[in-house]
Amino acid sequence: MSVFLFFIFFLLYVKFLILYFLLILCQLIAGSDNGSLKLYDIHHIPRKVTGIHGNFGCVTFDEFDQLTSVHVNSTDELFLASGYSRNVALYDINSGKRLQVFTDMHRGHINVVKFANHSPSIFATSSFDHDVKMWDLRQKPIHPCFTVSSSRGNVMVCFSPDDQYILASAVDNEVIFIQ
């Protein structure tokens, strides 16, 4: 049953993001494993470009090495980045600046970082160190709000659409459902 709930949450989340970007914002943040982070405004990208390489409608942010995850908060003001490190970076979308790097948030590298859907300062991280942690930016994330451990390394974490639950999955198909 919990695996089924995971897939329902995941599918709803993906559908929401696609519709949100296409219908409302017309902006998207893209990152690559080389650390590149860019914000694109699709209204400023030419429909047809021939032989020209440019940054049409693009804002470039400070790099985050070996990037694995990027997520925007519910007010579309901040985004987080994580990668093959124990750190998470916080960026301001409006200014284009990296605000802070939170160091040593886990004992192993952080696979995924996700903001809550309705609380712009709450986020969760999952790591191969077996821990899933929830953090609050209002408390200067030095210590997590809570930590839950799995038997193996964690690959993914996400919030339910109403933020009442956190779902995490580990490398051995273990699913953790946190209320």
Side-chain angles (χ1 to χ4, degrees):
M1 180 68 172
S2 58
V3 173
F4 177 73
L5 287 174
F6 162 73
F7 288 114
I8 295 292
F9 287 149
F10 182 74
L11 291 174
L12 288 173
Y13 182 73
V14 169
K15 280 185 171 182
F16 171 76
L17 282 180
I18 291 169
L19 288 174
Y20 185 69
F21 286 134
L22 293 178
L23 298 177
I24 298 172
L25 281 184
C26 299
Q27 294 181 329
L28 61 95
I29 292 179
S32 67
D33 63 355
N34 71 0
S36 171
L37 285 163
K38 296 182 185 234
L39 171 71
Y40 294 95
D41 185 337
I42 63 170
H43 290 301
H44 293 97
I45 298 174
R47 291 193 185 271
K48 185 174 183 182
V49 178
T50 54
I52 301 173
H53 298 284
N55 287 334
F56 302 102
C58 176
V59 175
T60 301
F61 294 91
D62 290 342
E63 291 185 358
F64 191 93
D65 289 334
Q66 297 182 306
L67 183 70
T68 60
S69 179
V70 174
H71 200 249
V72 177
N73 75 345
S74 61
T75 59
D76 301 322
E77 296 170 346
L78 303 171
F79 76 90
L80 294 166
S82 66
Y84 288 109
S85 73
R86 300 180 314 197
N87 307 330
V88 170
L90 176 67
Y91 295 83
D92 182 294
I93 292 173
N94 296 319
S95 71
K97 304 275 187 217
R98 181 169 49 206
L99 301 176
Q100 192 166 359
V101 176
F102 305 110
T103 59
D104 298 322
M105 297 186 89
H106 280 268
R107 291 170 284 127
H109 77 264
I110 298 168
N111 288 317
V112 174
V113 60
K114 292 284 175 114
F115 269 112
N117 297 306
H118 302 286
S119 301
S121 62
I122 303 291
F123 67 97
T125 54
S126 67
S127 171
F128 275 143
D129 68 3
H130 300 214
D131 291 340
V132 173
K133 298 181 180 187
M134 189 171 82
W135 308 85
D136 189 340
L137 290 173
R138 297 169 295 188
Q139 298 176 359
K140 306 292 183 205
I142 298 168
H143 302 289
C145 301
F146 74 83
T147 301
V148 176
S149 296
S150 64
S151 61
R152 303 277 304 267
N154 294 297
V155 178
M156 188 281 313
V157 66
C158 68
F159 287 86
S160 64
D162 63 0
D163 290 338
Q164 295 297 310
Y165 307 97
I166 293 177
L167 198 65
S169 65
V171 295
D172 61 355
N173 294 328
E174 176 183 6
V175 176
I176 303 170
F177 188 67
I178 307 160
Q179 185 172 4

